[in-house]
Amino acid sequence: MNYRWDIRNIAIIAHVDHGKTTLVDALLKQSRVFRDNQAVGELIMDQGVLEREKGITIMAKNTAVVYRGVKINIIDTPGHADFSGEVERVISMADGCLLLVDSIEGPMPQTKFVLRKALERGLKPIVVINKIDRENSRVSEVLGFTQDLFLELATSADQLDFPVLYSSAREGIAVTEPDMKGKDITPLFECILEKVPPPQIESGPFQMLVSNLDYDSHKGKIAIGRIWRGKVAPHDPVVSMSADGSITHYEISEVFTYLGLKRLEVAEAEAGDIVAVTGIEVVNIGDTIASPEQPEALPRIEIGEPTVEMTFGVNTSPFAGREGRFSTTRQLRERLYRELETNLSLRVQDTDSPDTFLVKGRGELHLAILIETMRREGYEFEVSKPEAITKVMEGKLMEPMEVLTLDTKEGYIGVLTEMLSKRQAQLTDMRNDGHGNVHLEFRVPTKGLIGFRSAFLTATRGEGIMNTNFLGYEAWHGDITSTRNGVLVASERGIAVTYGLNNAQGRGLTFIEPNTPVYEGMIVGQNPRPQDIAINVCKEKQKTNIRSSTSDIAVKLTPPVKLSLEQAIDFINKDELVEVTPENIRFRKKLLTEAQRLRSISISRRSTET
């Protein structure tokens, strides 16, 4: 077996906010891939608008640097559990991995998930304990927790022999001992060259596994992946092998490799290289591109199953078609099925209704990012409340279970425990650091987590961190009764006015402000009591000839409550929808008129009695 000693392929994996993308910044800047006077800023790899806004990596990305004549291909991966499919998708391109662990938080749920995937793939791990410059860092304890995690997950003895480095990605330093004073990131570069194995080169005709896709308006579809065998050059004949076993013949147009943030066109690429090729019109992630001389398919990329589902439907409100460029069934269906090409964790199914589609994902945030992306592209549609995906196994109804970890203050233990007990959660671990902070772990059904994030942030006044990790399926624990109060529902179509909203605020909180167009069935506020109330927010004060001395004093309204898209999805009940347009996010009842809703309640009661 031959090796490519001039290449190393590594993936950077970690829990969310442990510093992966910041570490990639340091590797890029200190490898001199940018000019000295080039302004590149921070979080260089997170160029997406949503990634910048939310401060998390959503899509896995490729880059490369050169150190001492060796090209290091780097794969930056997401750390949020909802985007773990991205990790599963691209980790196949690497031979080693950098496992980042926060020097205060230590190993978290997603740390365990990504490390398990890396060890299953046989990647050589390098542990980097990051953020050692922070106050209250507990490096020795975190190292002990990390070693325990390896003991739990390792499948062979050699996986327990891993190097450990200590870094401050923000400062751009790495050291081999925690009490050393660092100068730069060089020790990490040296460790990569020494410990990460070079790619093995198998002799034979060209063979490549597609791990990512991109699109260019001039070049068309771009297939990205690692070459496992042979060589490829422009104008080479190849075949693409799809999941159903069909084989299609193409000719390679261009071949690119990575350096820094650029794709460089090359005359030829060999086994071990991570490349992007054009000229293949129909290709999907997981397909094999190979030489027609020996068309052998590589094992397809295996992705975990989704756990949450919701419906996407054509907007059926009275305001439909006013604000979006794409609002028809055909356009919505085309966009959702196109998303499947790059979003492997997603599932889309047609339903009995031609205007509604069932969409399944890894979590609420996974689906919320898709909704927000489509909204910004000009799509107009409506979505239902997320629900956990159940299965029937051996005649028993099974539901997904997750590990929920909460890091917060001691004073919130009581309220959080009470909230979660109503959601069928079981407390499995509680640790106190002696400084007023507490770490809680729960086993909870996925259905119990729907709508919990916003309630958690409210209960802890923002002083808490919540993380989840999928465990598996267990027997159905029973239904969870809704803990949300009723809503204020507009009873008339028109324009909301101050007088009408002032009456509404006497009944509860409002979500809209004066001059907002409303329609019957639109949710305009929340009632502090369990029942829904129909209210006319368009009602104006009756005009008479009688005036009091205070009649002209302006009515002062309480500012409306504005919910983000994620909060809106959490807020609604099963009989409600979120109307999503490029300009607005509205809540509405599925049945718009009060007569329809009362009739539905009456029918459901009669069916229950019988």
Side-chain angles (χ1 to χ4, degrees):
M1 187 72 70
N2 297 322
Y3 294 89
R4 284 283 303 274
W5 292 97
D6 60 333
I7 286 181
R8 300 291 189 276
N9 295 320
I10 62 167
I12 300 186
I13 58 176
H15 189 78
V16 64
D17 202 31
H18 280 199
K20 299 177 302 301
T21 306
T22 307
L23 183 65
V24 174
D25 285 0
L27 294 171
L28 288 169
K29 290 175 181 177
Q30 296 189 30
S31 63
R32 301 292 181 182
V33 297
F34 305 118
R35 302 188 310 273
D36 291 338
N37 64 345
Q38 187 174 352
V40 292
E42 298 179 345
L43 303 178
I44 301 169
M45 298 296 290
D46 286 349
Q47 296 298 322
V49 176
L50 281 175
E51 290 179 320
R52 290 280 181 174
E53 287 182 8
K54 297 188 177 295
I56 58 173
T57 300
I58 296 174
M59 300 292 293
K61 306 172 189 69
N62 296 82
T63 186
V65 300
V66 176
Y67 178 76
R68 290 207 289 129
V70 177
K71 184 176 184 179
I72 303 174
N73 287 308
I74 302 170
I75 307 162
D76 184 21
T77 65
H80 198 287
D82 283 19
F83 307 107
S84 52
E86 290 289 300
V87 180
E88 298 172 277
R89 175 170 63 80
V90 300
I91 206 170
S92 61
M93 293 190 285
D95 299 299
C97 64
L98 300 184
L99 178 69
L100 265 68
V101 184
D102 190 287
S103 64
I104 295 179
E105 294 183 354
M108 299 293 280
Q110 186 68 358
T111 312
K112 183 175 182 179
F113 173 85
V114 295
L115 179 60
R116 179 189 287 114
K117 292 298 179 182
L119 296 180
E120 287 175 355
R121 295 286 306 183
L123 304 189
K124 177 65 178 179
I126 297 174
V127 173
V128 180
I129 298 180
N130 193 27
K131 305 185 182 181
I132 59 172
D133 57 327
R134 292 177 63 182
E135 294 183 12
N136 304 323
S137 64
R138 47 192 188 122
V139 173
S140 58
E141 290 181 58
V142 167
L143 178 57
F145 292 144
T146 306
Q147 290 170 336
D148 292 343
L149 186 61
F150 271 85
L151 282 170
E152 179 184 348
L153 300 178
T155 57
S156 61
D158 60 334
Q159 290 180 336
L160 300 175
D161 181 23
F162 54 88
V164 181
L165 280 82
Y166 308 87
S167 72
S168 170
R170 185 175 60 181
E171 300 294 329
I173 60 170
V175 292
T176 55
E177 297 294 336
D179 53 354
M180 292 177 61
K181 188 174 182 180
K183 296 180 180 178
D184 53 27
I185 210 76
T186 299
L188 181 55
F189 278 127
E190 294 290 343
C191 187
I192 291 171
L193 296 193
E194 181 182 351
K195 298 296 183 180
V196 175
Q200 294 183 355
I201 305 304
E202 182 182 347
S203 59
F206 172 66
Q207 189 183 42
M208 165 185 163
L209 181 66
V210 179
S211 300
N212 202 354
L213 292 175
D214 200 355
Y215 183 82
D216 184 273
S217 57
H218 299 289
K219 298 179 174 64
K221 189 171 284 190
I222 302 173
I224 302 168
R226 172 174 167 174
I227 302 176
W228 289 95
R229 188 177 67 192
K231 301 178 181 180
V232 65
H235 308 298
D236 281 355
V238 295
V239 295
S240 173
M241 289 171 278
S242 61
D244 59 5
S246 61
I247 295 178
T248 312
H249 291 259
Y250 295 104
E251 180 181 296
I252 297 292
S253 298
E254 296 167 298
V255 180
F256 300 89
T257 58
Y258 291 87
L259 184 63
L261 303 181
K262 300 178 181 178
R263 286 194 187 123
L264 303 179
E265 188 173 357
V266 294
E268 185 180 71
E270 304 179 19
D273 282 321
I274 294 177
V275 299
V277 298
T278 63
I280 302 175
E281 297 176 5
V282 180
V283 65
N284 295 307
I285 294 174
D287 291 355
T288 299
I289 303 173
S291 169
E293 300 175 9
Q294 194 173 337
E296 297 174 347
L298 290 161
R300 296 191 70 83
I301 299 171
E302 296 183 2
I303 300 293
E305 292 295 315
T307 58
V308 175
E309 65 183 14
M310 64 195 305
T311 60
F312 283 52
V314 173
N315 189 8
T316 56
S317 84
F319 294 167
R322 291 186 178 184
E323 300 169 359
R325 291 188 295 127
F326 309 110
S327 57
T328 67
T329 302
R330 179 185 60 80
Q331 291 166 335
L332 180 61
R333 187 180 195 279
E334 183 182 283
R335 177 63 182 84
L336 288 173
Y337 278 92
R338 188 168 72 244
E339 183 71 18
L340 296 178
E341 295 182 2
T342 55
N343 199 338
L344 289 194
S345 301
L346 202 71
R347 304 287 187 273
V348 178
Q349 296 177 6
D350 293 337
T351 65
D352 295 337
S353 170
D355 297 332
T356 305
F357 306 93
L358 185 65
V359 181
K360 303 178 181 182
R362 282 288 179 92
E364 289 177 88
L365 183 60
H366 183 206
L367 295 173
I369 291 294
L370 171 61
I371 295 169
E372 181 65 24
T373 301
M374 292 174 60
R375 185 175 84 91
R376 297 187 182 198
E377 291 173 358
Y379 285 85
E380 180 180 320
F381 52 99
E382 58 190 26
V383 297
S384 68
K385 184 178 182 63
E387 296 182 6
I389 299 173
T390 58
K391 292 182 177 181
V392 177
M393 302 171 66
E394 299 180 354
K396 294 181 180 180
L397 183 64
M398 311 292 282
E399 66 176 337
M401 296 290 294
E402 301 195 35
V403 172
L404 169 68
T405 62
L406 306 176
D407 292 277
T408 184
K409 301 290 184 182
E410 284 181 340
Y412 303 123
I413 294 177
V415 65
L416 291 175
T417 304
E418 182 181 357
M419 288 168 57
L420 286 165
S421 65
K422 296 177 181 178
R423 296 170 178 266
Q424 302 178 347
Q426 296 178 343
L427 181 65
T428 58
D429 189 18
M430 180 169 64
R431 297 194 297 269
N432 193 311
D433 67 352
H435 299 285
N437 302 312
V438 66
H439 175 83
L440 305 170
E441 289 191 11
F442 295 86
R443 286 174 59 91
V444 57
T446 299
K447 67 175 183 286
L449 292 175
I450 295 173
F452 176 71
R453 185 177 298 275
S454 57
F456 168 71
L457 294 175
T458 302
T460 60
R461 296 175 175 86
E463 294 183 311
I465 299 174
M466 165 185 165
N467 292 290
T468 60
N469 191 31
F470 176 66
L471 270 179
Y473 280 82
E474 291 186 2
W476 177 254
H477 288 65
D479 293 323
I480 297 176
T481 56
S482 175
T483 57
R484 198 204 72 182
N485 290 327
V487 290
L488 307 180
V489 186
S491 61
E492 300 287 341
R493 179 171 177 172
I495 304 295
V497 296
T498 302
Y499 184 77
L501 287 173
N502 187 48
N503 290 336
Q505 289 190 348
R507 300 293 190 93
L509 299 173
T510 53
F511 297 152
I512 62 173
E513 53 195 15
N515 298 320
T516 301
V518 299
Y519 53 82
E520 183 181 5
M522 179 174 159
I523 297 171
V524 296
Q526 184 173 15
N527 183 17
R529 294 181 175 83
Q531 65 270 22
D532 296 340
I533 298 177
I535 194 162
N536 184 7
V537 292
C538 306
K539 182 180 180 181
E540 297 186 8
K541 186 174 181 180
Q542 187 177 3
K543 295 179 181 179
T544 68
N545 292 328
I546 301 173
R547 292 289 183 269
S548 67
S549 60
T550 59
S551 63
D552 294 330
I553 298 177
V555 176
K556 292 185 179 180
L557 295 175
T558 304
V561 177
K562 297 291 186 181
L563 300 183
S564 66
L565 177 60
E566 291 93 334
Q567 291 171 326
I569 294 171
D570 284 347
F571 176 79
I572 60 172
N573 271 336
K574 291 184 178 180
D575 64 335
E576 297 163 359
L577 298 169
V578 178
E579 179 186 349
V580 182
T581 76
E583 299 179 14
N584 290 290
I585 296 172
R586 304 183 183 95
F587 322 116
R588 51 159 290 188
K589 289 290 185 178
K590 287 184 179 178
L591 302 175
L592 293 179
T593 67
E594 187 174 11
Q596 289 175 325
R597 295 194 294 273
L598 291 173
R599 190 180 302 114
S600 175
I601 293 172
S602 177
I603 292 172
S604 63
R605 283 177 179 171
R606 285 201 300 268
S607 62
T608 303
E609 291 173 357
T610 56

